[in-house]
Amino acid sequence: MTEADPAGGHRLVAVLVTQAMASAAPPGVDPGAFLAAVAEDTYELAAGLDFVTPVLVTSVPGMEEIVWPGTPVIGIAPGLSGGALVAEAFAALPYGGQAVLISGDAPDLPPLLVGKLFRALGRARIAVCPAADGGAVAVAAHLPYPEWADAGFDDPDPVAALRAAAPGRRMVATGPGWHRLRTPGDLHRLDPGLEGWDNTRALLSA
């Protein structure tokens, strides 16, 4: 659950889905089905939060099938990567005062961590949920996304890169970390004891 924005600005939680996120599909599992499952679980996390509007940002055709009716689905060009992809995703958001952009390969991300990112925006311009083994799981920002921010989800140390580029070091905060499913070897990170990630769980158990 997230808190209402004390400044009164609208809050968005956007899930970013690209074709590269299918690369964690294990042998014997269709990559397309795997991508749809992890993306839907990540989206359902966003859609279940209070006081926010969920959005899907994707370069993969057909992803509108995984979202609830009324959810904005925003298409972006394929082939983008790194900081350009993150900046394009934020720029595509239709409105809002603050937004969290979540990588679509984090199906078991605890909702509490999204709330912590919004809370961190009370003292910073950008907040990052670091990913295990480097990179980021999610990036939160006041909108519009600052032009100096040029770090991607798969950068080795996006927090350090953002702080180096920011006009002031305190403009970039970091929250608790989590994990993503970037290779089949990452599947062991999924915790069967956690609620959620039902689609991924069912697909991997079939």
Side-chain angles (χ1 to χ4, degrees):
M1 177 181 295
T2 63
E3 299 174 355
D5 182 354
H10 200 85
R11 286 177 162 176
L12 306 176
V13 177
V15 176
L16 175 64
V17 180
T18 68
Q19 191 61 49
M21 295 173 184
S23 60
V29 174
D30 177 71
F34 178 84
L35 176 61
V38 297
E40 184 170 0
D41 285 336
T42 309
Y43 162 76
E44 288 186 350
L45 150 73
L49 294 169
D50 294 329
F51 311 122
V52 304
T53 297
V55 180
L56 185 70
V57 181
T58 181
S59 58
V60 182
M63 283 292 116
E64 64 276 1
E65 297 180 4
I66 71 171
V67 303
W68 298 356
T71 298
V73 178
I74 301 170
I76 58 174
L80 294 171
S81 62
L85 174 60
V86 172
E88 179 71 14
F90 271 110
L93 298 179
Y95 49 78
Q98 298 177 346
V100 173
L101 181 67
I102 305 174
S103 183
D105 52 6
D108 62 341
L109 179 67
L112 178 64
L113 298 192
V114 179
K116 288 182 178 296
L117 289 176
F118 277 122
R119 194 166 297 125
L121 292 181
R123 64 181 190 276
R125 188 77 170 81
I126 289 180
V128 179
C129 172
D133 298 328
V137 176
V139 176
H142 294 273
L143 300 178
Y145 193 63
E147 293 182 2
W148 51 260
D150 185 22
F153 280 124
D154 293 318
D155 287 9
D157 191 342
V159 174
L162 287 167
R163 284 177 174 165
R169 182 175 175 83
R170 293 185 179 181
M171 297 184 75
V172 180
T174 182
W178 197 246
H179 52 256
R180 290 166 50 201
L181 305 181
R182 288 181 272 197
T183 71
D186 291 329
L187 297 177
H188 76 279
R189 301 182 188 276
L190 293 167
D191 185 347
L194 288 175
E195 295 183 359
W197 64 280
D198 295 339
N199 297 285
T200 306
R201 195 191 312 259
L203 182 65
L204 296 177
S205 299

